[in-house]
Amino acid sequence: MNGFSRGKLITLEGGEGAGKSTLLAGLQKHLLAQGVDLVQTREPGGTPLGEAVRAIVLDPAHRGMSAESELLLMFASRAQLVRECIEPALAAGRWVLCDRFTDASYAYQGGGRGVRAERIALLEQWATHGLTPDLTLLLDLPVATGRARAAGRGEADRIEVEGDNFFERVRAAYRARAAAEPARFRIIDATRTPDEVLAAAIDATHHLFGAKA
Ligand code: Z5A
């Protein structure tokens, strides 16, 4: 624990099969080797309440879920995660590595489902007090490539059953957010090998250590 400075929040984003889980494992190992006191978590999920929400939002049985319900459930999970896990960790000087965060709501519920960005921004202010990651790694790859990678994993969840057009809109929304906030985002070409993706991610974290010193 570092009692003198606030920790850093690093988030991983990308479409289906982009390689977030694969990168998380390598990045976690690297950061721990650097002596970083690290918490790893995910969205939706990361707390007992959030994991229960995750089971609901991904369950194919709820195929009639409205875009509004989906968005509110994502933020219910997020509000709990911020209060129970992320804020206490950052306040204690720990770093947090989070598999998806608010950008995913702008990409999936905004870009994918068509919910207006102003509505999402209102929830963001209310539920997270506008908590913004110090670094967001966007794993970008063609939709077809990501879907082909994810195809062999068994039954698709409620969101994975969406068509290619939905995931094209998700990808476009992510890229637009990255273009609007270049200082926070690092876009990583996720068609490269896992080692190359990890190297790019590690390179993107260097300035965080500088800021900590
Ligand atoms: N969601 C939302 O709608 N709104 C929100 O606000 C939030 C989330 C927070 C759950 O997310 C769903 O919730 C997600 C968005 C929505 N829905 N969808 N679709 P998730 O992150 O838990 O699930 P996911 O997006 O489906 O992740 P994923 O498909 O598991 O992908 P991944 O973790 O990015 O990939 P991976 O498991 O590391 O890799 C997939 C395969 O590719 C695997 O066989 C790897 O060995 C392989 N791989 C990985 N990297 C490479 C490289 N570089 N080259 C070749 N092959 C690779």
Side-chain angles (χ1 to χ4, degrees):
M1 176 176 144
N2 174 352
F4 300 101
S5 62
R6 185 173 161 86
K8 305 288 179 195
L9 173 59
I10 303 173
T11 57
L12 267 61
E13 300 283 0
E16 192 189 359
K20 292 179 291 88
S21 308
T22 305
L23 173 59
L24 265 171
L27 193 54
Q28 179 187 32
K29 199 169 156 197
H30 167 79
L31 292 172
L32 289 173
Q34 301 305 303
V36 172
D37 186 359
L38 191 69
V39 176
Q40 188 180 315
T41 189
R42 69 172 179 179
E43 280 203 346
T47 65
L49 187 147
E51 291 296 327
V53 170
R54 180 185 180 91
I56 293 170
V57 291
L58 297 184
D59 186 346
H62 301 306
R63 67 179 60 85
M65 187 181 295
S66 71
E68 291 78 11
S69 300
E70 187 178 86
L71 178 67
L72 290 166
L73 285 168
M74 296 298 176
F75 270 98
S77 171
R78 182 165 301 132
Q80 191 66 27
L81 185 68
V82 167
R83 280 156 186 79
E84 190 174 323
C85 170
I86 297 180
E87 270 301 346
L90 295 176
R94 307 182 76 189
W95 290 29
V96 179
L97 190 52
C98 192
D99 188 346
R100 298 196 187 279
F101 195 57
T102 309
D103 292 301
S105 292
Y106 284 99
Y108 282 82
Q109 284 67 53
R113 304 274 191 229
V115 177
R116 287 192 355 237
E118 308 85 74
R119 296 224 163 117
I120 303 174
L122 274 177
L123 287 174
E124 182 180 11
Q125 281 307 319
W126 182 51
T128 75
H129 301 285
L131 177 63
T132 305
D134 296 282
L135 171 67
T136 298
L137 302 169
L138 174 57
L139 301 191
D140 181 61
L141 82 175
V143 168
T145 311
R147 301 204 90 177
R149 283 184 190 172
R153 278 190 313 202
E155 197 195 349
D157 66 40
R158 193 186 55 82
I159 296 176
E160 287 169 345
V161 298
E162 292 294 336
D164 286 351
N165 287 344
F166 173 88
F167 290 104
E168 293 290 359
R169 293 196 298 276
V170 169
R171 184 186 185 197
Y174 267 135
R175 288 164 66 101
R177 287 186 69 73
E181 285 187 72
R184 171 164 73 90
F185 275 88
R186 174 73 68 94
I187 300 182
I188 296 176
D189 177 357
T191 64
R192 290 150 70 189
T193 67
D195 283 348
E196 289 170 334
V197 170
L198 176 60
I202 289 172
D203 182 66
T205 64
H206 285 155
H207 75 284
L208 299 179
F209 288 94
K212 194 183 171 200

